[in-house]
Amino acid sequence: MATSTCSAVHLTPLLSGAANATAAAQYICDQFNGVEDKFGDAGHAVDTTFLLFSAYLVFAMQLGFAMLCAGSVRAKNTMNIMLTNVIDAAAGGLFYFLFGFAFAFGGPSNGFIGRHNFGLTSLPSESFDYGYFLYQWCFAIAAAGITSGSIAERTQFTAYLLYSSLLTGFVYPVVAHWFWSGDGWASPARSDGKLLFGTGVIDFAGSGVVHLTGAIAGLWGAVIEGPRIGRFDHSGKPVAIRGHNGALVVLGTFLLWFGWYGFNPGSFITIFQAYGKSGAYYGQWSAVGRTAVTTTLSGCTAALTTLFGKKVLIGNWNLTDVCNGLLGGFAAITSGCSVVDPWAAVVCGFVAAWVLIACNKLAEKLQYDDPLEAAQLHGGCGAWGIIFTALFAKSKYVDEVYPGLPGRPHGLILGGGPKLLAAHAVQIVVIIGWTTVTMGPLFLFLHKLELLRISHDDEMAGMDLTSHGGYAYNDDDFEESKRRRELAMVQQQEEEVV
């Protein structure tokens, strides 16, 4: 927000005809400066309220993840997958507080990792207030939630605790530091002005930082522990394993949609800022609104493209596919939501839908099993979103959102040259590489110690019964199913004795 100063030295000559002109000038300036300070306080309050409200919206996405995951798995694993979502938030909160926030934003530091502010020892400060920590924590646990979907229905609970802690406390924060911190080596707002390819990476709300990181972590977990029992037959042909509750899938999808209005528009962090002359109708509040519109259009386009595309491919209108297509459109637009026009968001969503369909086809051919399609959705569509931004970022919007270097490279298709595309290609490569060398060995280590995958019998019975003391649904069907399994186990033991 622009500021001005009142000086008695300048005002006194204008009051030279009055008695005690100097004192009068000083009094007027004191009053003026006091009002200006109040306006400054109000600006900070408005920005903080905007950020906190956005954080609450993003946190609501955890409920969306929980509902989506619960509906997408079989009923016998409902309690397990919902508990993992709770643990992602709880463990992530503690480890992000102790280490993660410092690794991500603890400046001054080097380009690789933050080095200060462990345990929030320096908050509040001129750079950050507590609301900023809360907002960034919500992003960290979102990345962990993506990973939990990929390894659902067959992973030991201990493994969830370990991977969630490492991902939110170290792996994800380092990636966030690279692209979002003022000290990060690929940040578009790097404080020393040494930008990657003269532009830095424009990953505004995290198609790469959040979605691709979480997806690659989940990819390695699912690959190392293998597909669920029965997902592929003996010839390698895929066998559909349907989620048990379409209503929960829809509820989770709408909650995630709602939360995305904090995820993308909220990433401006502040809203009380004019572009150009103060008093005009156009400012950061306009950019926030435009970002909400581009987010909406990309998701809607992806949902409709998936609806009709899958109708042509498989012959029916599939609810789960449409919900995942919608979310794929959101994941893709997250990178460039603030720097593209609404018409470009339609292009983003259309392509994202086909990227997700293609990734799912490839996963089946490779016998890769991801119950939530998380790696395909957040990884494939997230990577497309990174490329999309490098193609369609508009120069005017880039200069407004990243004002430190006017005229910096923008979208290739809009005449901005190849530099931004080169920077974004680097982002995809380094995120895949970093997440692979950190999370891959963790999952492999857990696998070697037999701490990753549950036993065959536990998987067949369901993790709710074997790990959590009972089913999520207490009805006659489950009790009868439990009774039949117990009877079968007794008969098998008797046969072994004979």
Side-chain angles (χ1 to χ4, degrees):
M1 183 173 63
T3 60
S4 57
T5 58
C6 178
S7 170
V9 174
H10 296 134
L11 189 58
T12 299
L14 301 177
L15 302 173
S16 57
N20 298 319
T22 301
Q26 186 62 53
Y27 174 79
I28 293 172
C29 284
D30 288 344
Q31 297 301 308
F32 177 85
N33 290 333
V35 171
E36 184 182 37
D37 289 342
K38 289 296 183 182
F39 274 114
D41 294 342
H44 288 304
V46 168
D47 286 338
T48 300
T49 302
F50 168 71
L51 182 59
L52 285 172
F53 181 71
S54 298
Y56 304 151
L57 287 176
V58 179
F59 183 72
M61 296 178 78
Q62 288 301 119
L63 179 57
F65 278 125
M67 296 298 100
L68 179 67
C69 290
S72 299
V73 302
R74 289 164 290 185
K76 62 183 180 180
N77 295 310
T78 304
M79 190 180 296
N80 172 262
I81 194 65
M82 294 182 73
L83 182 58
T84 63
N85 279 271
V86 175
I87 293 303
D88 284 339
L94 183 60
F95 280 87
Y96 197 72
F97 161 73
L98 292 173
F99 311 107
F101 186 79
F103 288 148
F105 301 104
S109 63
N110 55 52
F112 179 76
I113 192 170
R115 298 181 296 182
H116 302 282
N117 213 7
F118 293 94
L120 305 185
T121 52
S122 300
L123 262 64
S125 68
E126 188 175 349
S127 301
F128 305 121
D129 207 338
Y130 291 106
Y132 189 72
F133 162 79
L134 189 72
Y135 188 69
Q136 295 298 337
W137 161 67
C138 293
F139 274 59
I141 60 177
I146 293 168
T147 304
S148 67
S150 294
I151 57 178
E153 296 204 284
R154 67 235 198 242
T155 305
Q156 293 189 44
F157 197 69
T158 302
Y160 280 113
L161 290 170
L162 292 174
Y163 96 76
S164 183
S165 301
L166 179 64
L167 187 62
T168 55
F170 179 65
V171 178
Y172 165 82
V174 170
V175 177
H177 181 81
W178 292 349
F179 303 108
W180 287 347
S181 168
D183 299 314
W185 62 269
S187 172
R190 188 177 171 93
S191 55
D192 61 9
K194 297 178 181 179
L195 303 178
L196 180 66
F197 295 111
T199 176
V201 172
I202 299 177
D203 187 8
F204 182 71
S207 289
V209 174
V210 178
H211 295 279
L212 186 58
T213 301
I216 297 302
L219 173 69
W220 282 112
V223 166
I224 291 171
E225 66 181 355
R228 291 168 292 173
I229 297 172
R231 180 64 178 89
F232 299 94
D233 63 20
H234 295 297
S235 63
K237 183 179 179 180
V239 177
I241 300 179
R242 301 291 184 185
H244 82 282
N245 195 320
L248 290 179
V249 171
V250 173
L251 176 60
T253 300
F254 273 113
L255 285 169
L256 288 169
W257 188 341
F258 182 65
W260 236 292
Y261 291 128
F263 205 97
N264 287 2
S267 289
F268 277 94
I269 307 302
T270 62
I271 193 172
F272 198 62
Q273 176 182 334
Y275 290 154
K277 182 181 178 180
S278 295
Y281 66 90
Y282 184 68
Q284 191 136 297
W285 49 87
S286 303
V288 169
R290 184 184 65 245
T291 299
V293 170
T294 57
T295 300
T296 302
L297 291 176
S298 180
C300 292
T301 304
L304 292 175
T305 303
T306 305
L307 175 70
F308 291 104
K310 296 295 284 189
K311 172 64 174 176
V312 171
L313 293 173
I314 65 176
N316 58 58
W317 314 98
N318 190 285
L319 171 67
T320 302
D321 287 341
V322 171
C323 288
N324 284 339
L326 176 81
L327 298 177
F330 289 149
I333 195 63
T334 295
S335 174
C337 54
S338 65
V339 294
V340 300
D341 276 315
W343 66 265
V346 174
V347 176
C348 179
F350 178 79
V351 176
W354 291 109
V355 168
L356 179 57
I357 291 172
C359 287
N360 284 330
K361 286 291 185 182
L362 179 62
E364 289 183 349
K365 288 185 177 297
L366 297 177
Q367 297 187 33
Y368 170 77
D369 181 25
D370 188 323
L372 273 291
E373 300 178 6
Q376 301 95 299
L377 193 162
H378 298 277
C381 296
W384 155 242
I386 295 168
I387 298 300
F388 160 80
T389 305
L391 298 177
F392 290 93
K394 188 173 181 177
S395 178
K396 174 187 175 183
Y397 301 153
V398 171
D399 289 344
E400 289 171 350
V401 178
Y402 302 99
L405 181 65
R408 73 170 72 203
H410 54 283
L412 176 63
I413 289 179
L414 301 185
K419 290 185 177 180
L420 184 59
L421 181 60
H424 284 210
V426 169
Q427 183 193 23
I428 293 173
V429 171
V430 298
I431 288 178
I432 293 174
W434 169 251
T435 311
T436 296
V437 300
T438 50
M439 297 301 296
L442 172 66
F443 284 121
L444 187 60
F445 178 73
L446 293 173
H447 176 69
K448 294 295 184 181
L449 294 181
E450 298 184 352
L451 295 175
L452 182 59
R453 182 157 186 159
I454 59 176
S455 68
H456 178 280
D457 290 342
D458 286 354
E459 187 171 346
M460 294 300 294
M463 298 178 69
D464 288 1
L465 178 63
T466 60
S467 299
H468 305 291
Y471 294 108
Y473 306 99
N474 186 22
D475 59 28
D476 294 339
D477 290 339
F478 280 97
E479 292 300 324
E480 177 63 20
S481 177
K482 177 181 177 182
R483 188 190 67 79
R484 288 198 301 267
R485 272 193 297 271
E486 291 175 346
L487 179 61
M489 292 177 63
V490 170
Q491 290 175 344
Q492 182 180 1
Q493 292 172 353
E494 291 176 349
E495 291 174 357
E496 290 175 353
V497 171
V498 174

